[in-house]
Amino acid sequence: MNESVLIARAEKFLDKIKRQRIQVEELRDFESFITVYHYLKENLDELYELRDTMEIKGYKAPYRSLIRSSRSSITELKAEEMHDVSRQTQYFRMKAAAKKNILDRVKSSIASHKIVIGHLEELATITCSACKKKFKRHEIEFVESGTCSCGATDLILEKNDHGVYRLGTLKYLPLSGEYMVRMSDLAPMGREAFRSIVRVLKHEKRGIVKTVSLVVKVLEDGRWIRKRVNMDMDDEMNYEREIRKKYGRNARIEFLQFHRKKPAIINDKQVQTALSIAYVKFAKEIVDEIMDNVMDKFLKNRNNVEIYDNALKTASDIAGSITSDIEDEEDIKNEKLNEILKENNLMDDNDIINRQLERDLQTRNKIKRKLFVEVPRVLILWDIVKYYLTTSYDRRNKYSGPFPNLRPNLDTNQLKAFVDFDKQVVGILKEYTDEKIEYMKDMKEVIAKKFEIENKIKGLHVKSNPPAVGAAILNITGKLSIEVASDIFSVDPENVKAEKEKIETFGKPTSKRAQKFLEMIKK
């Protein structure tokens, strides 16, 4: 396919997605849900095809051939021909930039579609009214044309109370790949919040060896020859054994270099960007809604602050209408502001502002910054914690869920990302929103406990209730009461108590004979 045709096809498809925005919050029945679900799946298949075609055609590194050819040709040119070469290079650079930009848009769209699909799979459970079979999470994909595998067509959509989803974030995802536009819309504090979330999601695992480069001395035809060898590594591979198997017992390794990879918590740049944008914009919506009530609590004299705001606006309007010079406008604005404040007894004759007003203004700025920067980070950390607690290792490893490319487990370095969980912000969210959220001092220990339990039961075929297990861990490690932990995951406290007993007995003998056997082994 011609390059310009491929780019035009991709742009046309992305523009079509942009025009057909979906309203996930309005999904109420099975028909509307499954229609949107399959629409997203079809889009995703088309996007994958576009991405693969582009990568085959070299869109992933469009500048590489340009640099190589320009270097080789420039050395052979005369001085008078350099100008023409420069113009041609500029033209090819523009084409290379177009390739890179369209591939980035396609990848961003793929990431956003995967996130929406993951949220829909967490949101709903589909039940067949005839055979009572339940389709949940990735199984929803196999519901074709509104028909169950038993042939029945009466399928019922039910809300999954145990799912981890946040529908309010989905409308802010760059579904058509317009992530640069969405990033440019962010206010200064929004950009700061965006960077803080990206830093969390990029938190890297300590380096694991992916490849190894060797210089091997090999005896061939009575002569020692050096060979350069690159090998892929896995956990069970012994590179020395592989070298001797390939080159004989006399092969000697003279040089060895390990190449390490540091996978992030979410190991995809476009997913990191899409999630960060969505959570920042969604959090702004929440903060704007609760800001007045929060300020009523923290400000001593709200009325004086409002007088100050009105005075500042009036002074700015007057200064802007009088002059166009920036320095003069600032001086006039300050002069008029002081005049209005003095009229309202909020400033003395020495131009010293009222102390209480000054403290309230400082408090407001501090609270606003904390809410706009910290709320999105707290929300996404809390959602990731809940997802880890309510899913199994296999589930996280095989399926993307609401956080595509999320690491199935984390090492101690990555767990540090969950240490800084702002207590004041959590308190504000609890008081002024319907969010089921609790502050826990040792948040990273809560997740570490889940990984520990998963390692203990690996291969034991222990049947468990994942949401109840998550609630039990919040009780054991997070120090929350069973009632509070049960409410967070919408589970029965009795189920939580049962899972807690299982957790506490893992690895312990359950009978006198088992206890006696362990004592004999120790001797």
Side-chain angles (χ1 to χ4, degrees), residues 156-210:
I156 302 169
L157 182 74
E158 297 174 326
K159 184 179 177 182
N160 179 16
D161 293 328
H162 307 312
V164 179
Y165 51 86
R166 197 172 290 278
L167 300 185
T169 62
L170 303 186
K171 60 186 174 184
Y172 298 115
L173 289 168
L175 270 178
S176 59
E178 73 284 16
Y179 71 98
M180 293 296 290
V181 176
R182 303 230 169 203
M183 286 171 63
S184 66
D185 290 341
L186 297 175
M189 283 189 286
R191 287 193 288 272
E192 185 177 345
F194 172 84
R195 288 192 294 269
S196 72
I197 294 178
V198 170
R199 280 196 297 271
V200 168
L201 302 183
K202 286 177 66 176
H203 219 88
E204 293 179 334
K205 182 182 177 71
R206 286 194 177 90
I208 54 176
V209 178
K210 299 299 291 182

Side-chain angles (χ1 to χ4, degrees), residues 199-390:
R199 280 196 297 271
V200 168
L201 302 183
K202 286 177 66 176
H203 219 88
E204 293 179 334
K205 182 182 177 71
R206 286 194 177 90
I208 54 176
V209 178
K210 299 299 291 182
T211 60
V212 58
S213 298
L214 307 100
V215 175
V216 182
K217 202 171 183 180
V218 182
L219 185 63
E220 290 186 0
D221 299 328
R223 297 175 57 192
W224 288 99
I225 300 173
R226 288 183 176 85
K227 292 181 178 286
R228 291 187 178 275
V229 182
N230 293 316
M231 299 174 62
D232 294 330
M233 294 288 289
D234 57 44
D235 294 337
E236 300 178 358
M237 185 175 181
N238 185 315
Y239 60 87
E240 293 186 17
R241 186 188 306 125
E242 293 297 321
I243 289 294
R244 285 173 172 75
K245 184 188 296 183
K246 186 174 182 179
Y247 296 107
R249 295 179 62 184
N250 293 325
R252 300 174 184 174
I253 298 173
E254 291 193 336
F255 175 80
L256 179 67
Q257 183 177 14
F258 294 107
H259 304 286
R260 299 177 182 272
K261 184 179 180 182
K262 296 183 178 182
I265 291 178
I266 290 183
N267 208 27
D268 184 289
K269 181 181 176 181
Q270 296 294 353
V271 173
Q272 294 170 4
T273 300
L275 284 171
S276 300
I277 292 171
Y279 271 85
V280 169
K281 287 182 173 286
F282 173 71
K284 182 182 182 302
E285 186 181 307
I286 293 176
V287 173
D288 287 341
E289 186 177 329
I290 68 174
M291 182 63 77
D292 287 343
N293 292 332
V294 174
M295 290 305 169
D296 284 340
K297 177 179 179 179
F298 286 95
L299 301 184
K300 299 295 182 182
N301 193 323
R302 180 76 183 276
N303 185 55
N304 285 346
V305 174
E306 290 178 356
I307 292 173
Y308 176 88
D309 290 340
N310 292 331
L312 183 61
K313 185 179 185 305
T314 302
S316 297
D317 292 342
I318 292 173
S321 63
I322 293 176
T323 181
S324 59
D325 184 270
I326 296 177
E327 292 184 3
D328 290 344
E329 183 178 337
E330 190 67 23
D331 292 338
I332 294 171
K333 184 184 78 172
N334 290 334
E335 183 179 339
K336 189 62 182 176
L337 175 62
N338 293 349
E339 181 184 324
I340 299 173
L341 291 177
K342 288 175 182 177
E343 290 174 0
N344 288 275
N345 297 319
L346 293 176
M347 180 176 281
D348 62 20
D349 294 333
N350 296 320
D351 293 344
I352 298 176
I353 196 170
N354 179 278
R355 284 188 177 181
Q356 186 58 62
L357 174 59
E358 186 176 17
R359 282 196 291 268
D360 277 346
L361 291 174
Q362 291 174 352
T363 300
R364 182 176 67 170
N365 291 336
K366 182 180 178 182
I367 294 297
K368 282 182 68 175
R369 186 181 180 283
K370 172 162 279 195
L371 290 179
F372 281 114
V373 174
E374 292 296 326
V375 167
R377 194 173 63 84
V378 166
L379 288 178
I380 194 168
L381 282 175
W382 179 242
D383 288 349
I384 290 174
V385 167
K386 289 197 296 181
Y387 188 69
Y388 273 120
L389 293 181
T390 56

Side-chain angles (χ1 to χ4, degrees), residues 166 286-287 290 293-294 297-298 371 374-375 378-379 382 386 421-441 443 474 478-481 483-485 487-488:
R166 197 172 290 278
I286 293 176
V287 173
I290 68 174
N293 292 332
V294 174
K297 177 179 179 179
F298 286 95
L371 290 179
E374 292 296 326
V375 167
V378 166
L379 288 178
W382 179 242
K386 289 197 296 181
F421 202 67
D422 196 285
K423 186 175 183 178
Q424 186 180 33
V425 170
V426 171
I428 290 172
L429 287 172
K430 279 188 65 178
E431 185 173 353
Y432 296 100
T433 70
D434 297 329
E435 186 71 34
K436 291 182 179 180
I437 188 170
E438 294 289 336
Y439 174 77
M440 281 166 283
K441 186 177 180 181
M443 184 66 79
L474 291 183
K479 308 303 180 185
L480 300 182
S481 68
E483 290 70 23
V484 171
D487 183 57
I488 288 173

